[in-house]
Amino acid sequence: MHILLDLVRRHKAGERVGVTSVCSAHPLVIEAALRHASATGQPFALVEATSNQVNQDGGYTGMVPADFRTFVEAIAEKVGFPVARLVLGGDHLGPNAWTALSAAEAMAKAKVMVADYVRAGFGKIHLDCSMSCADDPVPLPERTIAERAAGLCRAAEDAFDGAAADAPVYVIGTEVPVPGGAAEDLEELTVTTPEAAIATVDMHRALFESAGLGEAWARVIATVVQPGVEFDHDKVVDYRPDRAVALSEAIEPVDHLVYEAHSTDYQTPAALAALVRDHFAILKVGPGVTFALREALWALDAIERETVDGAARANLRAVTLERLHAEPKNWAKYYHATGRALDLQLQYSLSDRIRYYWPDTAIATAQERLFANLRDTPPPLPLLSQYLPTAYTAVRNGRATLDPSELVMAHVAATLDAYHGACFPHD
């Protein structure tokens, strides 16, 4: 996987370069990401699936790893993005989906999953065994986490049978506080200490080498730490470089490793640029792009109410809310308000649990009908300016048409612009 290794090499040599990792299974988000990569001349596009989205049991998308690859490559072919410049990643690959089982059972399933990801051609593998299983202590000891990560790495290496240049690269560590650990308010989010970050690297290196995985260790490109960025339902903790100076400096002498920053969603362009400068060279974004997707769909719903007769309307927003209330399993653990306050959380929470519901048959049908209505009755420019000003600008500049799918993607692309500016500041 020389593309990612080369980018990390360039960053370690002093270039202020990074990569945006788009973690989403929504076709419009993925298409927007690939179109954006083409338009901005990026050397490659990185799209990742998480272990709860895609696994051998189907995940919440219903896709196994090979299905996800086929799905993304079909979108790449549609938009003319070269498959050779497409990198697929697996995020938080470990026992997360099976923590209700014993550690032995969960890890057995995790090894199958990681092997399936590698055999399906995923080139970037995040080994994350930080979560406790049914018979584990809470929190899980650091050594146990690293030992399990080494076991998953062995499963991945055994599954790979391609050319050496295409061998998978790995990410270790997790930014998520362990269960039963830190429970600080977001305003006082604890930044990973340099000592903890380097101890994680050293422990993984030693266990990899003792397990005969020295060659794989040379392809470990990043460790996940907490730089002090996070978001909840309605609040964002912005990156403060002054609080992460020592953490940033700690990775500089570590050969071939940078940091991977999760939960960078909703950070300002300046904060994203500072993260890359401070060696958080892999920026993960997920809810941030699907939140933008929802914004655009709600705007199109509003335009439909202005331009389409009542009986013909798709009423996507109303249909989606009805389905959210009817099937609460994907949000019930996170949203605890009632009445109107709950409806606000369901629609507008920054954690964007609504993203789990777009494949719902009734919602997907309503979205298709909305798009058909707006293709039959294209929105006038003044309405577009009112409800989707970013897409309006893209239309005026010739970067998008009035087709509803292009309007949505133009809105999502504005989020990606900030990431591209951070990862390639001299473009």
Side-chain angles (χ1 to χ4, degrees):
M1 183 46 59
H2 60 86
I3 291 178
L4 279 169
L5 287 171
D6 182 61
L7 182 132
V8 171
R9 178 191 60 76
R10 289 169 56 198
H11 185 94
K12 297 294 285 187
E15 289 188 58
R16 193 184 294 184
V17 294
V19 61
T20 306
S21 170
V22 177
C23 301
S24 178
H26 196 286
L28 281 176
V29 169
I30 293 172
E31 183 172 345
L34 297 182
R35 289 182 180 274
H36 187 266
S38 288
T40 55
Q42 295 176 41
F44 63 94
L46 174 57
V47 177
E48 300 209 38
T50 60
S51 58
N52 62 333
Q53 283 176 330
V54 175
N55 56 49
Q56 68 267 36
D57 298 329
Y60 72 75
T61 64
M63 287 188 278
V64 301
D67 295 334
F68 188 80
R69 176 179 180 173
T70 299
F71 167 67
V72 177
E73 288 186 348
I75 296 172
E77 182 178 357
K78 172 186 173 183
V79 304
F81 190 86
V83 171
R85 289 169 50 202
L86 176 64
V87 180
L88 296 179
D91 195 27
H92 292 295
L93 300 190
N96 186 52
W98 304 288
T99 54
L101 303 177
S102 70
E105 293 172 303
M107 285 302 298
K109 291 182 76 69
K111 288 175 182 178
V112 171
M113 176 183 63
V114 168
D116 284 353
Y117 267 79
V118 171
R119 279 191 287 264
F122 285 67
K124 177 179 177 292
I125 303 295
H126 175 205
L127 304 169
D128 182 8
C129 298
S130 61
M131 57 291 300
S132 296
C133 299
D135 55 352
D136 279 330
V138 179
L140 202 59
E142 181 75 19
R143 185 175 181 85
T144 302
I145 294 170
E147 287 173 342
R148 291 178 182 178
L152 289 187
C153 184
R154 169 54 64 196
E157 291 289 288
D158 290 346
F160 180 73
D161 63 358
D166 297 325
V169 300
Y170 298 101
V171 174
I172 59 170
T174 175
E175 90 294 357
V176 181
V178 292
E184 61 272 289
D185 185 88
L186 282 182
E187 296 289 358
E188 300 177 356
L189 196 66
T190 300
V191 176
T192 303
T193 66
E195 295 79 13
I198 299 307
T200 293
V201 171
D202 289 344
M203 182 175 291
H204 279 77
R205 180 194 293 114
L207 287 170
F208 274 49
E209 290 175 349
S210 67
L213 293 166
E215 184 178 337
W217 180 258
R219 287 180 270 111
V220 175
I221 60 170
T223 182
V224 182
V225 295
Q226 174 53 271
V229 301
E230 191 54 271
F231 58 90
D232 60 13
H233 299 321
D234 54 14
K235 182 169 53 182
V236 179
V237 177
D238 290 315
Y239 179 55
R240 288 175 47 190
D242 60 298
R243 297 184 64 210
V245 172
L247 179 61
S248 173
E249 292 174 346
I251 201 69
E252 290 176 356
V254 181
D255 190 35
H256 65 75
L257 262 72
V258 295
Y259 291 129
E260 178 170 284
H262 291 212
S263 299
T264 68
D265 313 72
Y266 315 111
Q267 292 291 307
T268 66
L272 293 172
L275 281 163
V276 174
R277 178 200 65 205
D278 294 344
H279 311 311
F280 300 92
I282 304 173
L283 302 178
K284 306 296 283 286
V285 58
V289 284
T290 53
F291 184 91
L293 168 79
R294 195 272 315 149
E295 285 183 323
L297 290 173
W298 266 213
L300 293 179
D301 176 88
I303 290 173
E304 182 190 50
R305 290 199 301 272
E306 301 260 21
T307 59
V308 176
D309 290 340
R313 292 176 192 158
N315 295 313
L316 173 63
R317 181 173 168 182
V319 169
T320 302
L321 269 173
E322 180 181 343
R323 295 300 299 146
L324 285 163
H325 283 290
E327 298 288 344
K329 66 178 181 179
N330 288 316
W331 58 261
K333 292 191 298 184
Y334 306 96
Y335 305 149
H336 306 295
T338 58
R340 177 174 291 183
L342 175 60
D343 282 349
L344 289 174
Q345 284 187 334
L346 290 172
Q347 296 175 83
Y348 303 113
S349 168
L350 296 175
S351 61
D352 193 49
R353 297 289 159 183
I354 201 171
R355 69 186 185 276
Y356 295 97
Y357 291 85
W358 298 124
D360 178 271
T361 300
I363 295 172
T365 299
Q367 180 187 310
E368 291 172 4
R369 185 176 179 185
L370 170 65
F371 281 19
N373 285 343
L374 295 180
R375 287 176 179 132
D376 290 341
T377 308
L381 286 177
L383 275 185
L384 194 57
S385 178
Q386 173 68 37
Y387 291 107
L388 276 174
T390 300
Y392 166 83
T393 300
V395 170
R396 293 297 307 277
N397 291 339
R399 292 184 284 107
T401 71
L402 289 174
D403 186 89
S405 65
E406 292 201 23
L407 297 176
V408 170
M409 288 188 285
H411 190 75
V412 172
T415 297
L416 296 173
D417 282 341
Y419 283 86
H420 179 69
C423 293
F424 298 96
H426 303 300
D427 283 8

